[in-house]
Amino acid sequence: MTDLPVLPAHKPARPFFSSGPCAKPPGWSADALATESLGRSHRSKIGKTRLAYCIDLMRELLNLPDTHRIGIVPGSDTGAFEMAMWTMLGARGVTTLAWESFGEGWVTDAVKQLKLDPTVIRADYGQLPDLTTIDWSTDVLFTWNGTTSGVRVPNGDWIADDREGLSFADATSAVFAYPLPWDKIDVATFSWQKVLGGEGGHGVLILGPRAVERLENYTPAWPLPKVFRLMAKGKLAEGIFKGETINTPSMLAVEDAIFALEWAKSIGGAEGLIARSDANAAALDKIVSERDWLGHLAEDEASRSKTSVCLTVKGADEAFIKTFAGLLEKQGAAFDVAGYRDAPAGLRIWCGATVDTADIEALGPWLDWAYAAAKAPVAA
Protein backbone atom coordinates (compact mmCIF):
# COMPACT_ATOMS: atom_id res chain seq x y z
CA MET A 1 0.00 0.00 0.00
CA THR A 2 1.31 3.44 -0.91
CA ASP A 3 1.53 6.11 1.79
CA LEU A 4 -0.10 9.45 1.17
CA PRO A 5 2.35 12.24 0.27
CA VAL A 6 3.42 14.64 2.99
CA LEU A 7 1.07 17.56 3.57
CA PRO A 8 2.40 20.97 2.56
CA ALA A 9 3.44 23.21 5.44
CA HIS A 10 1.30 26.25 4.67
CA LYS A 11 -2.35 26.59 3.63
CA PRO A 12 -3.98 29.50 1.85
CA ALA A 13 -5.17 31.91 4.55
CA ARG A 14 -8.53 32.19 2.81
CA PRO A 15 -9.07 28.97 0.83
CA PHE A 16 -12.16 30.27 -0.98
CA PHE A 17 -11.80 29.66 -4.73
CA SER A 18 -15.44 29.18 -5.72
CA SER A 19 -16.55 30.77 -8.98
CA GLY A 20 -19.78 31.97 -7.42
CA PRO A 21 -20.62 32.99 -4.86
CA CYS A 22 -16.99 34.04 -4.71
CA ALA A 23 -14.64 34.91 -1.85
CA LYS A 24 -15.71 37.85 0.29
CA PRO A 25 -13.53 40.96 0.09
CA PRO A 26 -10.49 41.02 2.38
CA GLY A 27 -11.46 42.36 5.79
CA TRP A 28 -15.11 41.43 5.40
CA SER A 29 -17.17 40.45 8.40
CA ALA A 30 -20.87 40.51 9.09
CA ASP A 31 -20.20 42.98 11.91
CA ALA A 32 -18.71 45.43 9.40
CA LEU A 33 -21.98 45.80 7.47
CA ALA A 34 -24.25 48.79 7.98
CA THR A 35 -27.56 47.61 9.42
CA GLU A 36 -29.68 50.73 9.76
CA SER A 37 -31.67 49.81 6.65
CA LEU A 38 -32.52 46.30 7.90
CA GLY A 39 -36.08 45.77 9.06
CA ARG A 40 -37.13 48.88 7.16
CA SER A 41 -39.16 49.16 3.99
CA HIS A 42 -37.06 49.34 0.85
CA ARG A 43 -39.36 52.22 -0.10
CA SER A 44 -38.58 54.15 3.07
CA LYS A 45 -36.23 57.12 2.86
CA ILE A 46 -33.30 55.09 4.16
CA GLY A 47 -34.10 52.15 1.88
CA LYS A 48 -34.24 54.30 -1.23
CA THR A 49 -31.12 56.20 -0.16
CA ARG A 50 -29.04 53.05 0.29
CA LEU A 51 -30.24 51.51 -2.97
CA ALA A 52 -29.46 54.73 -4.84
CA TYR A 53 -26.04 54.90 -3.15
CA CYS A 54 -25.29 51.35 -4.28
CA ILE A 55 -26.18 52.28 -7.85
CA ASP A 56 -24.07 55.45 -7.67
CA LEU A 57 -21.06 53.46 -6.44
CA MET A 58 -21.42 50.97 -9.29
CA ARG A 59 -21.61 53.79 -11.81
CA GLU A 60 -18.52 55.47 -10.37
CA LEU A 61 -16.43 52.31 -10.20
CA LEU A 62 -17.43 51.15 -13.68
CA ASN A 63 -16.75 54.58 -15.20
CA LEU A 64 -20.19 54.22 -16.73
CA PRO A 65 -21.34 57.14 -18.89
CA ASP A 66 -24.47 59.07 -17.99
CA THR A 67 -26.10 57.67 -21.14
CA HIS A 68 -26.33 54.24 -19.49
CA ARG A 69 -28.83 53.31 -16.79
CA ILE A 70 -28.21 50.87 -13.93
CA GLY A 71 -30.98 48.88 -12.27
CA ILE A 72 -31.01 46.34 -9.45
CA VAL A 73 -33.33 43.49 -10.47
CA PRO A 74 -34.43 40.06 -9.19
CA GLY A 75 -32.90 36.71 -10.00
CA SER A 76 -29.15 37.35 -10.09
CA ASP A 77 -27.44 37.60 -13.49
CA THR A 78 -29.82 35.01 -14.92
CA GLY A 79 -32.85 37.10 -14.02
CA ALA A 80 -31.28 40.25 -15.41
CA PHE A 81 -30.33 38.65 -18.73
CA GLU A 82 -33.70 36.94 -19.16
CA MET A 83 -35.42 40.24 -18.38
CA ALA A 84 -33.47 41.82 -21.23
CA MET A 85 -34.28 38.95 -23.60
CA TRP A 86 -38.00 38.86 -22.82
CA THR A 87 -38.47 42.63 -23.11
CA MET A 88 -36.33 43.43 -26.18
CA LEU A 89 -35.94 40.42 -28.47
CA GLY A 90 -38.26 39.79 -31.40
CA ALA A 91 -37.94 43.19 -33.04
CA ARG A 92 -35.38 41.85 -35.54
CA GLY A 93 -33.34 38.73 -36.17
CA VAL A 94 -31.28 37.20 -33.36
CA THR A 95 -27.80 35.67 -33.23
CA THR A 96 -26.85 33.66 -30.15
CA LEU A 97 -23.24 32.75 -29.36
CA ALA A 98 -22.46 29.78 -27.14
CA TRP A 99 -19.12 28.46 -25.96
CA GLU A 100 -20.14 27.33 -22.48
CA SER A 101 -23.19 26.31 -20.46
CA PHE A 102 -24.70 29.71 -19.75
CA GLY A 103 -24.49 30.76 -23.38
CA GLU A 104 -26.27 27.50 -24.19
CA GLY A 105 -28.93 28.53 -21.69
CA TRP A 106 -29.65 31.70 -23.66
CA VAL A 107 -29.91 29.59 -26.82
CA THR A 108 -32.51 27.42 -25.10
CA ASP A 109 -34.49 30.47 -23.97
CA ALA A 110 -34.45 32.00 -27.45
CA VAL A 111 -35.47 28.79 -29.22
CA LYS A 112 -37.75 26.94 -26.82
CA GLN A 113 -39.24 29.66 -24.66
CA LEU A 114 -39.47 32.72 -26.91
CA LYS A 115 -39.95 30.56 -30.04
CA LEU A 116 -37.51 32.64 -32.06
CA ASP A 117 -35.42 31.19 -34.87
CA PRO A 118 -31.96 32.49 -33.98
CA THR A 119 -28.72 31.95 -35.80
CA VAL A 120 -26.72 29.87 -33.33
CA ILE A 121 -22.94 30.04 -33.44
CA ARG A 122 -21.17 27.57 -31.18
CA ALA A 123 -17.66 26.65 -30.16
CA ASP A 124 -16.38 23.84 -27.96
CA TYR A 125 -15.38 24.42 -24.36
CA GLY A 126 -12.04 26.20 -24.34
CA GLN A 127 -12.59 27.82 -27.75
CA LEU A 128 -14.18 30.93 -29.25
CA PRO A 129 -16.04 30.99 -32.56
CA ASP A 130 -14.91 33.26 -35.38
CA LEU A 131 -16.24 36.60 -34.12
CA THR A 132 -15.66 38.28 -37.48
CA THR A 133 -18.59 36.34 -38.97
CA ILE A 134 -21.27 37.98 -36.78
CA ASP A 135 -24.18 39.64 -38.60
CA TRP A 136 -24.73 42.90 -36.74
CA SER A 137 -28.03 43.58 -38.47
CA THR A 138 -29.32 41.13 -35.84
CA ASP A 139 -29.46 41.35 -32.07
CA VAL A 140 -26.43 39.47 -30.71
CA LEU A 141 -26.37 37.59 -27.39
CA PHE A 142 -23.04 36.50 -25.93
CA THR A 143 -21.16 35.78 -22.72
CA TRP A 144 -18.27 38.19 -22.17
CA ASN A 145 -16.47 35.84 -19.82
CA GLY A 146 -17.48 32.19 -19.87
CA THR A 147 -17.53 31.22 -16.20
CA THR A 148 -17.79 27.49 -16.95
CA SER A 149 -15.29 27.38 -19.83
CA GLY A 150 -12.62 29.87 -18.84
CA VAL A 151 -12.97 31.60 -22.22
CA ARG A 152 -13.62 35.30 -22.76
CA VAL A 153 -13.88 37.64 -25.68
CA PRO A 154 -10.50 39.43 -25.88
CA ASN A 155 -12.04 42.91 -26.24
CA GLY A 156 -14.94 44.71 -27.88
CA ASP A 157 -13.28 45.41 -31.23
CA TRP A 158 -15.41 42.76 -32.95
CA ILE A 159 -18.64 44.59 -32.03
CA ALA A 160 -19.60 46.80 -34.97
CA ASP A 161 -19.82 50.54 -34.37
CA ASP A 162 -22.54 50.81 -37.03
CA ARG A 163 -24.53 47.82 -35.75
CA GLU A 164 -28.25 47.83 -36.43
CA GLY A 165 -29.00 45.22 -33.79
CA LEU A 166 -28.34 45.41 -30.08
CA SER A 167 -25.38 43.82 -28.30
CA PHE A 168 -26.48 41.82 -25.24
CA ALA A 169 -23.50 40.99 -22.99
CA ASP A 170 -23.85 38.53 -20.14
CA ALA A 171 -20.90 40.06 -18.30
CA THR A 172 -21.26 38.51 -14.88
CA SER A 173 -17.66 37.28 -14.52
CA ALA A 174 -16.25 40.22 -16.46
CA VAL A 175 -17.63 43.39 -14.84
CA PHE A 176 -14.97 44.86 -12.51
CA ALA A 177 -12.34 42.46 -13.93
CA TYR A 178 -11.79 43.98 -17.39
CA PRO A 179 -12.09 47.48 -18.84
CA LEU A 180 -15.38 47.21 -20.72
CA PRO A 181 -16.11 49.40 -23.79
CA TRP A 182 -19.51 50.80 -22.86
CA ASP A 183 -19.99 52.39 -26.28
CA LYS A 184 -20.01 48.85 -27.69
CA ILE A 185 -22.47 47.41 -25.16
CA ASP A 186 -26.19 48.09 -25.41
CA VAL A 187 -27.24 45.68 -22.66
CA ALA A 188 -25.02 44.28 -19.91
CA THR A 189 -25.88 42.11 -16.93
CA PHE A 190 -23.97 40.86 -13.91
CA SER A 191 -24.39 39.90 -10.27
CA TRP A 192 -22.65 41.04 -7.10
CA GLN A 193 -21.66 37.47 -6.26
CA LYS A 194 -18.80 37.34 -8.77
CA VAL A 195 -15.94 39.86 -8.82
CA LEU A 196 -17.30 41.84 -5.87
CA GLY A 197 -17.74 38.75 -3.72
CA GLY A 198 -21.27 39.84 -2.81
CA GLU A 199 -24.30 37.75 -2.03
CA GLY A 200 -26.47 36.06 -4.67
CA GLY A 201 -30.11 36.62 -5.56
CA HIS A 202 -29.89 40.07 -7.14
CA GLY A 203 -28.89 40.99 -10.66
CA VAL A 204 -27.73 44.25 -12.19
CA LEU A 205 -29.09 45.40 -15.55
CA ILE A 206 -27.26 48.09 -17.51
CA LEU A 207 -29.02 49.69 -20.47
CA GLY A 208 -27.42 51.89 -23.10
CA PRO A 209 -29.45 54.48 -25.04
CA ARG A 210 -30.15 52.14 -27.96
CA ALA A 211 -31.64 49.58 -25.58
CA VAL A 212 -33.87 52.23 -24.04
CA GLU A 213 -35.00 53.25 -27.52
CA ARG A 214 -35.87 49.62 -28.26
CA LEU A 215 -37.93 49.33 -25.08
CA GLU A 216 -39.86 52.53 -25.79
CA ASN A 217 -40.60 51.68 -29.43
CA TYR A 218 -41.22 47.93 -29.37
CA THR A 219 -43.71 45.74 -27.56
CA PRO A 220 -42.99 41.99 -27.60
CA ALA A 221 -45.67 39.58 -28.74
CA TRP A 222 -45.54 37.46 -25.58
CA PRO A 223 -46.84 38.24 -22.09
CA LEU A 224 -44.32 39.55 -19.55
CA PRO A 225 -44.21 38.51 -15.89
CA LYS A 226 -44.36 41.42 -13.46
CA VAL A 227 -40.70 41.04 -12.46
CA PHE A 228 -39.66 41.54 -16.12
CA ARG A 229 -41.63 44.73 -16.79
CA LEU A 230 -39.42 47.72 -17.46
CA MET A 231 -42.09 49.94 -18.98
CA ALA A 232 -44.89 51.94 -17.38
CA LYS A 233 -47.51 53.86 -19.38
CA GLY A 234 -45.46 53.60 -22.54
CA LYS A 235 -42.27 54.97 -20.99
CA LEU A 236 -39.24 53.45 -19.36
CA ALA A 237 -39.87 52.96 -15.65
CA GLU A 238 -37.06 55.30 -14.63
CA GLY A 239 -37.57 54.60 -10.93
CA ILE A 240 -36.04 51.15 -11.38
CA PHE A 241 -32.76 52.85 -12.26
CA LYS A 242 -32.87 55.08 -9.18
CA GLY A 243 -33.28 52.29 -6.64
CA GLU A 244 -37.03 51.73 -6.80
CA THR A 245 -36.79 48.00 -7.34
CA ILE A 246 -39.52 45.98 -9.04
CA ASN A 247 -39.94 43.71 -6.03
CA THR A 248 -38.59 43.64 -2.49
CA PRO A 249 -34.79 43.36 -2.38
CA SER A 250 -32.72 41.98 0.46
CA MET A 251 -31.35 45.08 2.13
CA LEU A 252 -28.76 42.87 3.82
CA ALA A 253 -27.51 41.84 0.38
CA VAL A 254 -27.52 45.50 -0.66
CA GLU A 255 -25.46 46.49 2.38
CA ASP A 256 -23.10 43.61 1.63
CA ALA A 257 -22.67 44.91 -1.93
CA ILE A 258 -22.06 48.42 -0.62
CA PHE A 259 -19.30 47.08 1.64
CA ALA A 260 -17.65 45.41 -1.37
CA LEU A 261 -17.99 48.53 -3.51
CA GLU A 262 -16.53 50.76 -0.81
CA TRP A 263 -13.65 48.30 -0.41
CA ALA A 264 -13.11 48.41 -4.16
CA LYS A 265 -13.04 52.19 -4.07
CA SER A 266 -10.45 52.09 -1.28
CA ILE A 267 -8.02 50.02 -3.39
CA GLY A 268 -8.20 52.22 -6.47
CA GLY A 269 -11.59 51.46 -7.97
CA ALA A 270 -11.89 49.52 -11.21
CA GLU A 271 -8.16 49.81 -11.88
CA GLY A 272 -7.36 48.30 -8.49
CA LEU A 273 -9.80 45.45 -8.98
CA ILE A 274 -8.43 44.68 -12.44
CA ALA A 275 -4.85 44.75 -11.13
CA ARG A 276 -5.69 42.22 -8.41
CA SER A 277 -7.39 39.87 -10.89
CA ASP A 278 -4.44 40.18 -13.27
CA ALA A 279 -1.97 39.36 -10.50
CA ASN A 280 -4.00 36.34 -9.38
CA ALA A 281 -4.29 35.00 -12.92
CA ALA A 282 -0.55 35.45 -13.45
CA ALA A 283 0.21 33.57 -10.21
CA LEU A 284 -2.00 30.67 -11.25
CA ASP A 285 -0.53 30.66 -14.74
CA LYS A 286 2.93 30.27 -13.18
CA ILE A 287 1.69 27.26 -11.21
CA VAL A 288 0.29 25.69 -14.37
CA SER A 289 3.43 26.35 -16.42
CA GLU A 290 5.58 24.56 -13.83
CA ARG A 291 3.52 21.33 -13.92
CA ASP A 292 3.25 19.01 -16.89
CA TRP A 293 0.02 17.48 -15.56
CA LEU A 294 -1.84 20.81 -15.46
CA GLY A 295 -3.04 22.81 -18.45
CA HIS A 296 -5.45 25.57 -19.42
CA LEU A 297 -8.75 24.56 -20.99
CA ALA A 298 -8.56 27.85 -22.89
CA GLU A 299 -5.31 27.41 -24.80
CA ASP A 300 -5.34 30.86 -26.44
CA GLU A 301 -4.05 33.31 -23.85
CA ALA A 302 -5.79 36.26 -25.54
CA SER A 303 -9.19 34.71 -24.87
CA ARG A 304 -8.36 33.07 -21.53
CA SER A 305 -10.36 34.20 -18.53
CA LYS A 306 -8.53 36.05 -15.77
CA THR A 307 -11.31 35.37 -13.28
CA SER A 308 -12.85 31.93 -13.74
CA VAL A 309 -9.77 29.99 -14.79
CA CYS A 310 -10.53 26.44 -15.98
CA LEU A 311 -7.73 23.88 -15.89
CA THR A 312 -7.23 20.46 -17.40
CA VAL A 313 -5.72 17.67 -15.31
CA LYS A 314 -3.76 14.96 -17.12
CA GLY A 315 -5.63 11.66 -17.18
CA ALA A 316 -8.49 12.94 -15.01
CA ASP A 317 -12.12 11.94 -15.28
CA GLU A 318 -15.08 13.18 -13.27
CA ALA A 319 -14.50 10.69 -10.43
CA PHE A 320 -10.83 11.64 -10.14
CA ILE A 321 -11.68 15.36 -9.95
CA LYS A 322 -14.29 14.67 -7.29
CA THR A 323 -11.68 12.86 -5.21
CA PHE A 324 -9.08 15.55 -5.91
CA ALA A 325 -11.37 18.41 -4.83
CA GLY A 326 -12.65 16.42 -1.85
CA LEU A 327 -9.15 15.89 -0.52
CA LEU A 328 -8.42 19.61 -0.66
CA GLU A 329 -11.69 20.48 1.03
CA LYS A 330 -11.14 17.93 3.81
CA GLN A 331 -7.79 19.55 4.58
CA GLY A 332 -9.27 23.06 4.48
CA ALA A 333 -6.77 23.97 1.78
CA ALA A 334 -9.13 24.85 -1.07
CA PHE A 335 -12.90 24.89 -1.38
CA ASP A 336 -15.05 24.43 -4.50
CA VAL A 337 -12.31 23.91 -7.10
CA ALA A 338 -13.94 21.18 -9.20
CA GLY A 339 -14.93 22.25 -12.71
CA TYR A 340 -18.54 22.98 -13.62
CA ARG A 341 -20.69 19.88 -14.00
CA ASP A 342 -21.33 20.38 -17.74
CA ALA A 343 -17.70 21.23 -18.57
CA PRO A 344 -14.91 18.76 -19.33
CA ALA A 345 -13.50 17.17 -16.17
CA GLY A 346 -10.99 19.52 -14.60
CA LEU A 347 -10.43 22.24 -12.03
CA ARG A 348 -11.82 25.75 -11.83
CA ILE A 349 -9.97 28.33 -9.75
CA TRP A 350 -11.49 31.75 -9.17
CA CYS A 351 -8.88 34.49 -9.58
CA GLY A 352 -11.12 37.51 -9.16
CA ALA A 353 -10.17 40.57 -7.14
CA THR A 354 -11.43 39.40 -3.76
CA VAL A 355 -8.89 36.55 -3.73
CA ASP A 356 -5.43 37.37 -2.37
CA THR A 357 -2.49 36.57 -4.65
CA ALA A 358 -0.62 34.99 -1.74
CA ASP A 359 -3.42 32.42 -1.44
CA ILE A 360 -3.14 31.54 -5.13
CA GLU A 361 0.62 31.11 -4.69
CA ALA A 362 0.09 28.90 -1.63
CA LEU A 363 -2.26 26.70 -3.64
CA GLY A 364 0.46 25.21 -5.85
CA PRO A 365 1.94 22.69 -3.37
CA TRP A 366 -1.55 21.66 -2.34
CA LEU A 367 -2.48 20.89 -5.93
CA ASP A 368 0.63 18.71 -6.13
CA TRP A 369 -0.36 16.96 -2.91
CA ALA A 370 -3.95 16.35 -3.98
CA TYR A 371 -2.89 15.08 -7.41
CA ALA A 372 -0.52 12.58 -5.85
CA ALA A 373 -2.97 11.63 -3.12
CA ALA A 374 -5.82 11.07 -5.57
CA LYS A 375 -3.63 8.71 -7.58
CA ALA A 376 -2.50 6.75 -4.54
CA PRO A 377 -4.34 3.42 -3.90
CA VAL A 378 -5.24 4.43 -0.33
CA ALA A 379 -7.03 7.50 -1.65
CA ALA A 380 -9.53 5.25 -3.35
Side-chain angles (χ1 to χ4, degrees):
M1 182 176 292
T2 303
D3 292 331
L4 284 173
V6 177
L7 291 170
H10 302 289
K11 295 179 184 178
R14 295 191 302 138
F16 307 108
F17 301 107
S18 163
S19 289
C22 300
K24 307 302 288 183
W28 181 94
S29 75
D31 292 338
L33 302 183
T35 57
E36 291 82 1
S37 66
L38 305 189
R40 297 292 306 275
S41 169
H42 61 296
R43 304 199 187 282
S44 67
K45 182 178 180 181
I46 189 172
K48 289 182 178 179
T49 297
R50 296 301 280 176
L51 285 159
Y53 177 53
C54 185
I55 288 173
D56 289 344
L57 281 173
M58 289 189 286
R59 179 178 297 280
E60 178 184 354
L61 289 169
L62 291 173
N63 299 311
L64 199 71
D66 292 339
T67 54
H68 286 59
R69 292 160 169 86
I70 307 176
I72 298 169
V73 300
S76 195
D77 175 67
T78 300
F81 202 81
E82 290 190 332
M83 176 184 287
M85 292 180 66
W86 258 251
T87 54
M88 284 178 265
L89 292 185
R92 58 174 57 241
V94 177
T95 299
T96 55
L97 310 182
W99 48 81
E100 50 102 47
S101 59
F102 288 101
E104 283 292 346
W106 312 140
V107 172
T108 298
D109 283 355
V111 174
K112 294 187 177 181
Q113 303 302 321
L114 297 179
K115 309 297 184 184
L116 301 171
D117 185 21
T119 298
V120 181
I121 300 176
R122 291 184 169 92
D124 292 335
Y125 275 84
Q127 305 293 322
L128 275 179
D130 183 355
L131 299 177
T132 65
T133 65
I134 307 302
D135 178 3
W136 283 103
S137 69
T138 67
D139 293 332
V140 179
L141 282 60
F142 68 98
T143 306
W144 196 284
N145 187 106
T147 308
T148 66
S149 68
V151 173
R152 64 182 172 97
V153 294
N155 50 50
D157 294 351
W158 59 284
I159 302 174
D161 291 328
D162 60 350
R163 60 190 177 279
E164 298 173 38
L166 301 180
S167 59
F168 290 72
D170 171 0
T172 197
S173 294
V175 170
F176 297 116
Y178 309 108
L180 298 182
W182 293 110
D183 60 322
K184 299 275 193 172
I185 300 172
D186 299 309
V187 179
T189 65
F190 69 97
S191 67
W192 298 325
Q193 70 183 29
K194 297 296 186 181
V195 179
L196 291 176
E199 292 302 295
H202 296 70
V204 178
L205 175 67
I206 299 177
L207 300 179
R210 299 179 71 248
V212 173
E213 182 183 16
R214 170 72 62 82
L215 285 165
E216 293 186 337
N217 290 281
Y218 166 70
T219 301
W222 42 80
L224 293 176
K226 179 180 179 180
V227 293
F228 282 3
R229 296 173 197 163
L230 294 170
M231 300 292 292
K233 299 180 180 178
K235 294 290 185 181
L236 187 71
E238 293 284 3
I240 294 171
F241 306 95
K242 299 175 182 177
E244 298 172 14
T245 54
I246 293 174
N247 68 339
T248 306
S250 163
M251 292 307 298
L252 184 59
V254 172
E255 294 295 352
D256 185 73
I258 288 173
F259 177 93
L261 290 160
E262 289 180 337
W263 166 78
K265 189 173 179 179
S266 76
I267 64 165
E271 292 78 9
L273 294 171
I274 291 169
R276 284 178 63 95
S277 290
D278 286 353
N280 289 340
L284 184 58
D285 189 56
K286 183 174 185 294
I287 290 171
V288 173
S289 67
E290 293 172 346
R291 289 155 176 83
D292 61 4
W293 57 272
L294 268 180
H296 285 286
L297 184 60
E299 295 180 0
D300 178 13
E301 187 174 358
S303 58
R304 183 183 302 156
S305 173
K306 293 184 179 181
T307 54
S308 183
V309 184
C310 297
L311 305 178
T312 60
V313 176
K314 187 176 180 179
D317 57 14
E318 186 176 344
F320 184 89
I321 293 299
K322 183 177 180 179
T323 298
F324 189 116
L327 287 164
L328 290 170
E329 182 164 344
K330 185 176 181 180
Q331 292 295 330
F335 299 134
D336 310 315
V337 297
Y340 191 72
R341 61 182 180 270
D342 294 335
L347 303 176
R348 183 170 58 155
I349 312 295
W350 183 255
C351 289
T354 56
V355 174
D356 290 318
T357 303
D359 288 336
I360 296 287
E361 292 170 341
L363 188 59
W366 283 96
L367 295 179
D368 292 332
W369 172 83
Y371 182 65
K375 293 172 65 177
V378 293

